[in-house]
Amino acid sequence: MAEIDRMLEANEDWAQRFPGSKPVAPARKVAVVACMDSRMPLFGLLGLDVGDAHVIRNAGGVITEDVIRSLTISQHLLGTREIVLVHHTECGLQSTDDVTFADVVEQATGRRPPWAARAFTDVDSDVRESMRLIQESPYLLSREVRGTVYDVGTGRLREVA
Amino acid sequence: MAEIDRMLEANEDWAQRFPGSKPVAPARKVAVVACMDSRMPLFGLLGLDVGDAHVIRNAGGVITEDVIRSLTISQHLLGTREIVLVHHTECGLQSTDDVTFADVVEQATGRRPPWAARAFTDVDSDVRESMRLIQESPYLLSREVRGTVYDVGTGRLREVA
């Protein structure tokens, strides 16, 4: 566990130049749902400041019950009303499928996961499917959602129609 | 939906000074699990570079089935071996409880969520509970996990023993 010590040390520099506290409710009333991919520093690539937006991330940036839970809290308790999805090119979930992944985990651990990896092939279709799942959720106050794909090779964000 | 247009515009600047692509597997072999809170730009406050670490975020930074799915993909497909948790002070989930939250959603939408908000009171206890849930997961290749609390008033990260 060397990585956490490196992070704690780097955080000292951050704390030294910390600009001060912000309110808990996101200033721009928006929640971002994105993939966990290591190549997406979302505050930087979306031009967000501290305090601007909720950021929800998982493998694939897919809409799960946990994402709906987070969005529901974001809207009902903390006032957000817009949702922006950020998927990306060259996703790890495009180079596997749910059965192969379950095989890999079972062979390595002796246990087969009861949940799907949520692998996908076409990123634009996956963004549209995520938008559909948000539109169908009965728990949200607003289903204003737009979807994008981030190109990890160029740094450019593209909206999905 | 003004926010996405503002993000697409800001992204133009990012793309102009984009330093180039990185491999899909995180360079520092670490996955961060954190709260969605808008006041935590994780790459900045942990000193992460593009390509360094997976970042998984939800309301509270709690360990759900979706987080275990994401960590399992992170370790089995993309080679991470360490996990760092980042909870924080003044969390929105500390100012409610699961029953009150379900009441709020039901009154506003007519539908009572079947899932819990995952509200909590003591942040250190919640970090320890998250570490315990990771230790218990049978699907991970490594359960090396350390937990921290980020102070949104000072910018300082503190490890939880």
Side-chain angles (χ1 to χ4, degrees), chain A residues 8-82:
Chain A
L8 287 165
E9 200 177 306
N11 174 257
E12 278 298 319
D13 291 335
W14 171 267
Q16 294 291 340
R17 55 193 165 83
F18 185 67
S21 63
K22 292 284 181 76
V24 63
R28 287 171 59 176
K29 299 185 186 304
V30 60
V32 176
V33 180
C35 182
M36 69 179 178
D37 193 275
S38 65
R39 296 162 296 181
M40 297 204 292
L42 290 172
F43 279 70
L45 72 90
L46 297 175
L48 296 172
D49 281 328
V50 172
D52 271 351
H54 281 142
V55 181
I56 299 159
R57 305 183 65 168
N58 66 18
V62 295
I63 307 303
T64 60
E65 182 178 277
D66 195 38
V67 172
I68 294 294
R69 176 186 70 87
S70 298
L71 287 172
T72 305
I73 290 166
S74 177
Q75 295 194 350
H76 287 264
L77 296 187
L78 295 162
T80 68
R81 289 295 180 271
E82 298 183 20

Side-chain angles (χ1 to χ4, degrees), chain A residues 1-8 10-12 14-18 20-30 32 34-62 64-74 76-78 81-84 88 90-93 96 101 104-105 108-109 111-118 138-141 144-148 150-159, chain B residues 1-8 10-12 14-18 20-30 32 34-62 64-74 76-78 81-84 88 90-93 96 101 104-105 108-109 111-118 138-141 144-148 150-159:
Chain A
M1 285 299 292
E3 290 309 323
I4 184 169
D5 298 316
R6 212 172 136 190
M7 289 175 188
L8 287 165
N11 174 257
E12 278 298 319
W14 171 267
Q16 294 291 340
R17 55 193 165 83
F18 185 67
S21 63
K22 292 284 181 76
V24 63
R28 287 171 59 176
K29 299 185 186 304
V30 60
V32 176
C35 182
M36 69 179 178
D37 193 275
S38 65
R39 296 162 296 181
M40 297 204 292
L42 290 172
F43 279 70
L45 72 90
L46 297 175
L48 296 172
D49 281 328
V50 172
D52 271 351
H54 281 142
V55 181
I56 299 159
R57 305 183 65 168
N58 66 18
V62 295
T64 60
E65 182 178 277
D66 195 38
V67 172
I68 294 294
R69 176 186 70 87
S70 298
L71 287 172
T72 305
I73 290 166
S74 177
H76 287 264
L77 296 187
L78 295 162
R81 289 295 180 271
E82 298 183 20
I83 299 166
V84 173
H88 65 95
E90 300 174 27
C91 187
L93 283 175
T96 188
F101 177 73
V104 165
V105 176
T109 67
R111 292 283 294 267
R112 194 169 188 86
W115 32 262
R118 301 283 295 257
Y139 308 112
L140 300 176
L141 290 171
E144 290 294 326
V145 57
R146 303 257 291 264
T148 67
Y150 178 71
D151 187 324
V152 297
T154 66
R156 189 155 272 120
L157 197 67
R158 168 178 63 80
E159 185 165 8
Chain B
M1 284 299 291
E3 291 308 324
I4 184 168
D5 297 317
R6 211 171 137 191
M7 290 176 188
L8 287 165
N11 174 257
E12 278 299 319
W14 171 267
Q16 294 293 339
R17 54 193 164 84
F18 185 68
S21 63
K22 293 285 181 77
V24 63
R28 287 170 59 176
K29 300 185 187 304
V30 61
V32 176
C35 182
M36 70 179 177
D37 193 275
S38 65
R39 297 163 294 180
M40 297 204 293
L42 290 172
F43 278 71
L45 73 89
L46 297 175
L48 296 172
D49 281 328
V50 172
D52 271 352
H54 281 143
V55 181
I56 300 159
R57 305 183 65 168
N58 66 17
V62 295
T64 60
E65 183 177 277
D66 195 38
V67 172
I68 294 294
R69 177 186 69 87
S70 298
L71 288 172
T72 305
I73 290 166
S74 177
H76 287 264
L77 295 188
L78 295 162
R81 289 295 180 271
E82 298 183 20
I83 300 166
V84 173
H88 64 95
E90 300 174 26
C91 187
L93 283 175
T96 188
F101 178 73
V104 165
V105 176
T109 68
R111 293 283 294 268
R112 193 169 188 87
W115 31 262
R118 300 284 296 257
Y139 307 113
L140 300 176
L141 289 170
E144 290 294 327
V145 57
R146 304 257 291 264
T148 67
Y150 179 71
D151 187 324
V152 296
T154 65
R156 189 154 273 121
L157 197 66
R158 169 177 63 80
E159 186 166 6

